[in-house]
Amino acid sequence: MIKAILFDVDGVLVDSDEAIVRSFLHIFSHNHLPMPARKEIVKSMGKTTEEWIKALLPKKLAKNKKVIEKLAREMNFVYPRIYFPLLAKPFPRTSEVLYVLSRKYRLAVITNEYKRVALRVLARLELLHYFPFLATRENARHGKPSPELILKALKKLCVKKSEALYVGDTAIDLTAGKKAGVKTVLLLHERNKQLKAKYKIRSLSELVSLAGRL
C-alpha cells in the first residue's frame, strides 16, 4: 500500500522549458557562440549539463573540455538564480492534484536544485504548502541519479521503500528510483517517450488512480 509520493520538480511539478531555453541562449550569447535552435535545446533535456552543452556546441568545440566546463558553470548560475525562479510555471491542474493527494499520502520533493531555489519557485507558484519535506542538493553528498535524496526522504517521512512512489520525467529520475528500490512513475512528454518504465502517466491527474491501485 502506498503511503508517500515523492516528486521531481522540473518537468513534473513545473514546466521549466522556457527557463531552460532562455538560460542556454543567455550563456551562448554571452560567450559569442552560435545560438542553438530551441528545438535542439529541448530535444536534449534529461542529459547532464555537460552532456547537454556538448550536444549544442559546434563540432569543433564539442571536445573542448575547458569550454564545456566554463559554460556549465555559467548555466549552473543563471538557470537557478535568474530564469528558473522567474519563468517556471505549474502544469495544468498541479495544485488540484496535489491537494487531493495530500489528503491521503505524505508528499515530498526530490530535486538536485538548491533548497533556496526550490523554496522560492514552489512558494511563488503556491505549491510549497503541500510538501512537509524537500530533499535538495544540500541533503546528500550526491544528487540524482544517486538514490541518496530519495532514501533521505523515505527516512524523514517514516515510510518503507515498498510504500513509496517517485514521479520523474528523465532517465536520471528512473535510475535514481531504481537504485532507491521504489516504484518509479514516468510522467510522459513528447521528448521522453523512448524511455522504458513500468509505470507511465500522461498527466499528474492520472497519479490519483494509479497510486490507489498500487
Side-chain angles (χ1 to χ4, degrees):
M1 183 172 131
I2 299 301
K3 294 182 179 180
I5 303 179
L6 319 177
F7 294 86
D8 177 39
V9 177
D10 295 24
V12 174
L13 293 177
V14 303
D15 182 348
S16 54
D17 285 11
E18 188 62 30
I20 291 169
V21 170
R22 294 280 194 95
S23 297
F24 274 112
L25 294 179
H26 178 119
I27 64 171
F28 272 65
S29 174
H30 180 256
N31 287 277
H32 308 289
L33 293 167
M35 302 291 270
R38 180 189 179 94
K39 65 178 181 179
E40 293 302 314
I41 297 173
V42 173
K43 185 174 70 175
S44 295
M45 286 183 178
K47 296 179 182 291
T48 65
T49 303
E50 289 78 9
E51 291 171 338
W52 208 335
I53 289 168
K54 186 176 180 180
L56 297 174
L57 282 170
K59 288 185 179 180
K60 62 181 180 181
L61 291 175
K63 294 182 180 180
N64 191 317
K65 190 174 180 179
K66 288 185 178 180
V67 171
I68 293 172
E69 289 176 348
K70 180 178 185 295
L71 293 174
R73 286 194 300 271
E74 292 186 17
M75 183 66 178
N76 291 332
F77 179 86
V78 302
Y79 175 71
R81 289 169 175 81
I82 302 173
Y83 294 103
F84 183 47
L86 182 66
L87 298 175
K89 59 184 180 181
F91 285 110
R93 299 192 65 197
T94 296
S95 185
E96 295 174 47
V97 174
L98 291 177
Y99 172 76
V100 172
L101 293 174
S102 67
R103 295 172 66 85
K104 186 175 181 180
Y105 308 101
R106 300 167 208 173
L107 307 184
V109 157
I110 309 292
T111 177
N112 284 345
E113 294 290 351
Y114 288 106
K115 186 174 183 178
R116 65 180 181 275
V117 176
L119 287 173
R120 181 180 173 189
V121 171
L122 293 173
R124 180 176 69 80
L125 301 179
E126 300 183 348
L127 301 176
L128 182 59
H129 59 284
Y130 294 116
F131 301 101
F133 180 66
L134 279 70
T136 62
R137 183 176 295 195
E138 295 91 338
N139 292 111
R141 291 180 61 188
H142 305 288
K144 298 176 291 184
S146 164
E148 285 186 54
L149 290 173
I150 295 176
L151 296 176
K152 289 273 185 180
L154 297 182
K155 185 176 181 180
K156 185 71 175 181
L157 298 176
C158 299
V159 295
K160 301 175 183 177
K161 297 177 181 180
S162 60
E163 297 171 332
L165 283 182
Y166 173 54
V167 187
D169 71 313
T170 67
I172 289 173
D173 291 318
L174 294 178
T175 299
K178 183 178 180 179
K179 287 182 177 180
V182 299
K183 297 179 181 69
T184 304
V185 181
L186 180 69
L187 178 60
L188 290 171
H189 300 301
E190 186 64 35
R191 58 181 176 270
N192 68 5
K193 290 181 179 179
Q194 78 284 359
L195 296 178
K196 295 181 180 179
K198 183 175 181 180
Y199 305 105
K200 295 182 179 182
I201 56 175
R202 296 188 177 278
S203 72
L204 285 181
S205 299
E206 295 178 25
L207 193 57
V208 178
S209 60
L210 176 62
R213 296 196 304 269
L214 296 176

